Amino acid sequence: MTQIAIVLYPQFTALDFIGPYEVLRALPDAEVRFVWHEPGPIVADSGVLVVGATHSFDETPAPDVVLVPGGPGFLSASQDEKVLDWLRAVRPGAQWTTSVCTGSIVLAAAGLLDGKPATTHWSSMAGLTLHGAKAVSDERVVRALPDDDLVTAAGVSAGIDLALWLAEQIAGRARAEAIQLIIEYDPQPHLDSGHRSKASAGTIATSTMLLTRDVDKPELLKASARLLWDRALTTVRSRR
Amino acid sequence: MTQIAIVLYPQFTALDFIGPYEVLRALPDAEVRFVWHEPGPIVADSGVLVVGATHSFDETPAPDVVLVPGGPGFLSASQDEKVLDWLRAVRPGAQWTTSVCTGSIVLAAAGLLDGKPATTHWSSMAGLTLHGAKAVSDERVVRALPDDDLVTAAGVSAGIDLALWLAEQIAGRARAEAIQLIIEYDPQPHLDSGHRSKASAGTIATSTMLLTRDVDKPELLKASARLLWDRALTTVRSRR
């Protein structure tokens, strides 16, 4: 059995983990769990999508694969000691510890990416650096070190590429190809502005403006402010 | 305001609509609704993912965009008179009526695709034909007729391509490009078996076997049998 634990938290971005879920659930003898403090409904960044956490962290002490999605809620999740303690506790026993989008900042906040190459959503590279990782902006799927069990993916839809890669590592090429065919992952976007390097300045500006629509909420602004305060105080206290 | 109604039903395939949701929710002044007989939790084909319907069909009489996802539950949904009646009722007022994967068979069962080109998951082309549409297997996004408001997409992940196309139609190229950048849709799968024409016989066989894992359930077998019975009886009764 391959137990796949997908971490949820309020204000997640749904495509970040639904892509990987749709791939990884087709692994041989796969058990997918959605884990959070406790089972129950959790609301996405959109405020309209509700997804159920199926298991608590305490019920899930030994997953084989851990996947942390991104979303504006990463700000709170990366300051949630229960989340960070669980990630630290399960990582040694897990075969793969992974993230999509700003999920990597949660892994970094848990101390799992110190000094290691990792990626995140293009708009959050600074956040990754702030937490001690080496931000990589030109690769879609980044393995922390050769043979490392930590793998991070770029923003949102990049989780599908990550999961297909994981599927091949776990179950071999034939199975991964069959999964790719099941989800008909033969992408043919008619536009080509999916990476910052390909997008115009106007597109980047509009995207940045749109991204704030999910972040401009009191609880997230508070989490962001707390994070910056913590960093400022740590810096001040380290000066002797 | 652009009201986007995503139809849910038990045994849906989540990526079918989470891809489009993540794109369409970034349209200007977008309101996304998940509609079903009544609001409440609905379980996916995996049996492990639960998503909340936010509104009933009755509460949603005039959506601007309708999107019907696929999944094994299409068998029951395509025989659900409430679903079919609602689709027929809202289509004339909608700007776009769309589907992903086997969602097109639900549209066809409502009589919206009679004699028109449409697509679906590669494994379900026969089902689309059975319901009177012209099955197209070599295009990822199919508009029923030039200038038609009916657009169907191929399996599962094809919904992302569909939604980006819709985003351009609704809000223009600049906005669609910004949305593509937000979700970093710059796909780079390391394997290339996402379409039937690219997959080996072995891959197709394995995928077909894996697809049955979600379908081999009593309620779906019953729905499938009822559908075939209905068709057989209709054929017999039409012979004079």
Side-chain angles (χ1 to χ4, degrees), chain A residues 21 46 168 186 190 198, chain B residues 21 46 140 168 186 190 198:
Chain A
Y21 145 89
S46 64
E168 178 167 5
D186 181 35
H190 74 294
K198 300 174 177 179
Chain B
Y21 144 89
S46 64
R140 197 159 160 89
E168 178 167 6
D186 181 35
H190 74 296
K198 300 175 178 175

Side-chain angles (χ1 to χ4, degrees), chain A residues 14 18 33 62 68 81 109 134 162 166 179 181-182 200 205 228:
Chain A
I18 292 294
R33 297 179 163 209
V68 184
E81 289 301 329
K134 284 189 205 164
L162 164 71
L166 278 176
I179 296 173
L181 183 57
I182 286 178
S200 69
L228 293 172

Side-chain angles (χ1 to χ4, degrees), chain B residues 87-88 91 97 106-114 116 144 148 150:
Chain B
L87 287 170
R88 290 184 201 110
R91 189 263 174 115
T97 299
V106 183
L107 293 182
L112 305 187
L113 287 172
D114 284 350
K116 292 184 177 178
D148 203 304
L150 275 158

Side-chain angles (χ1 to χ4, degrees), chain A residues 15 21-22 46 121-122 140 157 161 168 177-178 180-184 186 188 190-191 193 198 207, chain B residues 15 21-22 46 121-122 140 157 161 168 177-178 180-184 186 188 190-191 193 198 207:
Chain A
L15 184 53
Y21 145 89
E22 210 68 88
S46 64
H121 193 276
W122 56 267
R140 196 156 161 90
S157 64
D161 290 349
E168 178 167 5
E177 286 180 332
Q180 185 177 27
L181 183 57
I182 286 178
I183 66 164
E184 288 207 56
D186 181 35
Q188 295 167 27
H190 74 294
L191 302 172
S193 65
K198 300 174 177 179
S207 300
Chain B
L15 183 54
Y21 144 89
E22 209 68 87
S46 64
H121 193 275
W122 57 267
R140 197 159 160 89
S157 65
D161 290 350
E168 178 167 6
E177 287 180 331
Q180 186 177 27
L181 182 57
I182 287 178
I183 66 163
E184 287 206 58
D186 181 35
Q188 295 167 28
H190 74 296
L191 302 172
S193 66
K198 300 175 178 175
S207 299

